[in-house]
Amino acid sequence: MSTTDAPSSSENTEATKLTLTVEVDAPQTCLRHVVVTVSRGDVERYLKNAYDELAPEASVPGFRAGRAPRKLVEKQFKERVADQVKGQLLMDSLGQVTEEQAFSAISEPDFDFESVELPESGDFRFEFKVEVRPEFDTPQWKGLSLTEPDEQVDDEAIDASVARVMSRYSKYEAVDDAAKMGDRLLVTATFRNEGEVLSEMEEERVELVSGLSFPDGRCEEFGKLMEGVREGETRTGKVTVSQEAHPELGGKEIEAEFNVIEVSRNEVAELTPVVLEELGDFETEEELRKFIAESLQRQIDYRRQRSLRSQITKTLTEDANWELPPDLVRRQTRRELERQILEMRRSGFQEEDIRNMVNMARQNAQAQTEAALREHFILEKIADDQDIDAAPSDYDDEIALIAEQSDQPERRVRARLEKSGQMDALRNQIVERKVIEMITADATVTKEKAEKKEDGSGNDRDFAVDHSLVRAKEELPEAKYDDSNKGEASETPTNKS
C-alpha cells in the first residue's frame, strides 16, 4: 500500500487545487483499490461557493427572490446543494488523483455514486477500484531471431480464387442424387447430451465440406457423415463441445441429428462481361486476376505478419504472468475479436473465412483474450517508449483498404466504424503493426518454405454456422457488419491513455 499527500501547489489556484490524502492498495497487478480523503476545509469552500452562486436567485417563501437570509437559503436548499457539491468534489478529486498518481487507469472508477455521502462534519472520504496498466520493465526486443514463411502468389492460387468468386454466381439446383462433396445441403439439426435436447437448429443451408464449425463446438467428421445422403434422410453423428465455451460439457462429444431437407448442386457460371462488371467494373479477366493477385498477396502478408507477431510476442511475454481482472477480460473479449475481424477484412479474406475465424475464436475466447491483453500491454509500452502512434493518414489508408475489399465507399466504411465504436480497435491494429514491423526490422530473419495453404475453394475445410450448441448468456460479435449493426462502444483497455 502507498499513501500520498497532495497539498495545494503555488502553480494552481486555491479554487481548483484540493488537499487530498490518497491511499493506494494493489490487490492485483492490474487493479488498484484507492481511498481518497478530501479535507474539511475544501468541503466548506465548495459549499460556500455553491451557496454564493445560489443565494442571489434563491426563491424562499415569504421573501423576494435573492432577498432571503443566508441561513434560510442554506436550510431550504441543503440537500440539493450537498448533492451538487458531492458531485463536484468527486469529479475534481478523481481528476486530480488521475494526474498525480503513478498508475495509468484503463477503465472508469468502480464505485456507487449514491452510496457516497457528504458528511455534515469532518473530512469527505470515498473509495473505489480501478483497472490499470501493469507496471513492468520493457522486455528486450532488439536483435531477435525470427523465421519468415516464404509464400508466393501463383497461377494455381489465382485460378482457385477465381473459381471461388464465381461460385457466388453459380446456380444451385435441387437434385435427387446422393450428396457429393461441394454440394449444398438444407438441413435442420437437433443436439442432445445423454438424451437431453440442448438446442435445435432451424433450416440452415450449409456446404458439404470436411468439417462444420459452431461458435461453441465442431463436427470434425461432417463431410464423411453426410456424403451420400439424400433428400429426406437423417444422419446422426458427434459434435465436440468447446471446453472454454461450456466448461461443464467441455471436450465432450454430444449427439447431432441432421435432417436433410434438400440437396442442391451448382452449375458453374461463366465469366461474362456482365459478371465482370458486377464483380467490380472489371473490363477484362486479366484485370480481375490482377485484383485477385493483389488480394492474395495481402493475405500472404497477413499470414506473414501473424507468424512474426506470434514469434515476437511469445518471446516478449515469457515473463508476463500478471493476473488480469475477470471483468477486464470479459469486456475485452469482444474488442479483440473486432480487431481480428478488421485485420482480416482489410487483408481481403472472404466472409466465410472470417466466419470460421469467429467461430474458432469464440471457442477459445478467454484464453485468446488474456494472451492478447498481455501482448497489447507490452507492445503499447514499446510504442510509448519509441513514440509510435497512429497518424490520420494511417486511418485513411486502413479505411481505404477495407472499402476496396468490401466494395463500399470509404465514407460509409468510416461512418460504420465510428458508429460501432471500432475506431479504437483500428488504432490499436495500426500501432501494434508498426511496433511489430520495427522489431522485425531490427531482428535476424530467416526465410522458411511455407506449407501449401488451403485456398478455401476445396473441401478440406470447415463451413461455419452461427448456431450455438448450447445457448450462451452473452454473444460475441458476428463476423459480418452492416449499417444496421449498432455496435457497442464499450470501454476498452486498449485505448491509448
Side-chain angles (χ1 to χ4, degrees):
M1 175 185 292
S2 65
T3 302
T4 61
D5 291 319
S8 298
S9 167
S10 58
E11 297 177 0
N12 298 84
T13 65
E14 186 173 289
T16 58
K17 192 74 170 179
L18 294 166
T19 301
L20 306 178
T21 299
V22 183
E23 300 176 28
V24 182
D25 189 22
Q28 295 178 15
T29 304
C30 296
L31 191 66
R32 296 292 181 270
H33 176 240
V34 184
V35 179
V36 180
T37 303
V38 183
S39 71
R40 187 65 201 179
D42 286 322
V43 176
E44 295 295 343
R45 175 161 56 89
Y46 272 61
L47 286 169
K48 179 180 183 302
N49 290 340
Y51 282 119
D52 286 348
E53 291 180 6
L54 176 64
E57 299 177 357
S59 178
V60 178
F63 297 91
R64 286 184 295 169
R67 295 293 185 177
R70 178 64 171 247
K71 287 192 177 296
L72 285 179
V73 171
E74 292 178 2
K75 183 178 180 180
Q76 178 80 12
F77 297 97
K78 180 179 179 180
E79 291 186 5
R80 170 180 152 184
V81 169
D83 201 53
Q84 173 188 332
V85 167
K86 181 181 76 170
Q88 291 175 336
L89 283 172
L90 283 171
M91 183 173 62
D92 291 348
S93 57
L94 284 172
Q96 191 168 316
V97 168
T98 300
E99 291 178 1
E100 296 175 350
Q101 291 299 309
F103 60 75
S104 176
I106 56 177
S107 70
E108 295 297 322
D110 179 18
F111 69 92
D112 182 5
F113 179 84
E114 298 301 327
S115 67
V116 178
E117 296 183 358
L118 188 72
E120 294 189 7
S121 62
D123 298 335
F124 174 48
R125 184 177 183 275
F126 66 95
E127 57 187 290
F128 61 89
K129 291 181 179 178
V130 64
E131 294 162 347
V132 301
R133 294 185 184 278
E135 298 175 4
F136 56 89
D137 294 330
T138 304
Q140 176 58 43
W141 55 267
K142 294 185 177 181
L144 302 183
S145 295
L146 308 171
T147 59
E148 178 182 77
D150 185 10
E151 190 178 356
Q152 306 295 328
V153 175
D154 55 25
D155 288 340
E156 182 182 353
I158 295 175
D159 290 341
S161 291
V162 170
R164 189 176 181 186
V165 168
M166 291 306 299
S167 69
R168 303 178 199 167
Y169 293 86
S170 300
K171 293 181 179 179
Y172 279 81
E173 300 289 346
V175 297
D176 294 327
D177 299 344
K180 300 188 297 185
M181 299 296 282
D183 287 348
R184 287 187 179 176
L185 308 178
L186 182 63
V187 301
T188 60
T190 302
F191 303 96
R192 296 182 177 89
N193 176 45
E194 299 178 354
E196 177 188 355
V197 175
L198 299 177
S199 67
E200 294 181 326
M201 185 173 76
E202 297 181 355
E203 291 186 3
E204 188 83 39
R205 197 172 295 277
V206 303
E207 189 173 350
L208 182 52
V209 291
S210 177
L212 188 65
S213 75
F214 303 86
D216 53 353
R218 182 170 182 262
C219 181
E220 185 174 356
E221 301 293 329
F222 182 73
K224 292 180 180 179
L225 174 68
M226 303 302 291
E227 190 171 13
V229 74
R230 292 177 181 271
E231 178 183 321
E233 291 185 354
T234 297
R235 292 197 177 177
T236 302
K238 298 293 183 182
V239 178
T240 303
V241 180
S242 163
Q243 176 68 47
E244 186 170 309
H246 304 291
E248 69 282 2
L249 295 174
K252 187 171 184 177
E253 288 188 336
I254 62 172
E255 181 183 280
E257 181 182 277
F258 295 100
N259 178 43
V260 179
I261 299 172
E262 180 183 271
V263 177
S264 57
R265 191 165 297 151
N266 75 320
E267 296 179 8
V268 179
E270 294 183 11
L271 193 57
T272 63
V274 173
V275 173
L276 284 171
E277 184 177 358
E278 289 181 3
L279 286 172
D281 291 329
F282 297 109
E283 294 185 359
T284 65
E285 182 178 348
E286 284 307 308
E287 282 189 13
L288 171 63
R289 292 177 67 86
K290 180 181 178 182
F291 175 83
I292 287 176
E294 292 172 350
S295 181
L296 289 175
Q297 184 59 53
R298 278 194 287 274
Q299 293 175 34
I300 287 175
D301 292 341
Y302 170 84
R303 288 191 287 267
R304 169 184 170 274
Q305 291 165 2
R306 293 296 297 176
S307 175
L308 292 171
R309 178 190 173 105
S310 177
Q311 297 172 64
I312 290 169
T313 55
K314 182 179 179 181
T315 300
L316 298 183
T317 58
E318 284 180 349
D319 299 323
N321 298 317
W322 327 300
E323 185 179 2
L324 298 170
D327 287 346
L328 174 61
V329 175
R330 176 181 55 78
R331 289 198 313 275
Q332 185 60 12
T333 295
R334 181 185 182 95
R335 307 296 292 192
E336 174 58 19
L337 189 51
E338 287 175 348
R339 186 187 68 80
Q340 293 182 49
I341 290 171
L342 283 174
E343 274 193 341
M344 294 189 73
R345 197 176 295 284
R346 58 93 64 187
S347 298
F349 283 88
Q350 300 291 326
E351 288 301 319
E352 184 181 333
D353 297 323
I354 298 175
R355 285 197 301 271
N356 272 315
M357 182 280 294
V358 168
N359 276 359
M360 292 298 294
R362 282 171 164 174
Q363 294 175 33
N364 302 281
Q366 182 173 337
Q368 288 189 3
T369 301
E370 289 182 356
L373 276 170
R374 291 185 172 92
E375 292 173 10
H376 167 75
F377 287 135
I378 288 177
L379 295 177
E380 187 75 22
K381 192 171 193 307
I382 295 173
D384 287 342
D385 293 345
Q386 302 298 315
D387 293 327
I388 296 174
D389 208 340
S393 59
D394 294 324
Y395 289 97
D396 295 340
D397 293 343
E398 293 296 310
I399 290 171
L401 273 175
I402 295 172
E404 181 182 7
Q405 294 301 322
S406 59
D407 195 25
Q408 294 182 0
E410 292 180 27
R411 286 190 302 173
R412 185 176 180 183
V413 171
R414 183 184 292 273
R416 186 181 71 235
L417 294 175
E418 291 175 344
K419 184 178 181 181
S420 61
Q422 294 184 75
M423 292 299 285
D424 289 335
L426 191 60
R427 182 259 170 197
N428 298 328
Q429 176 183 315
I430 294 168
V431 171
E432 292 182 11
R433 186 166 61 247
K434 284 185 175 183
V435 173
I436 294 297
E437 289 173 352
M438 178 190 70
I439 295 174
T440 302
D442 196 79
T444 300
V445 182
T446 304
K447 288 187 178 293
E448 189 176 74
K449 185 66 176 178
E451 294 183 9
K452 186 69 174 178
K453 297 291 181 182
E454 171 61 42
D455 56 48
S457 61
N459 300 317
D460 187 19
R461 58 190 172 92
D462 282 359
F463 186 88
V465 295
D466 187 38
H467 173 83
S468 294
L469 303 171
V470 183
R471 289 297 182 186
K473 293 181 180 179
E474 291 188 13
E475 293 292 337
L476 294 176
E478 301 299 326
K480 203 167 186 177
Y481 293 90
D482 56 34
D483 287 349
S484 64
N485 185 359
K486 302 293 184 185
E488 196 173 300
S490 57
E491 67 269 60
T492 169
T494 55
N495 293 345
K496 185 174 177 62
S497 296

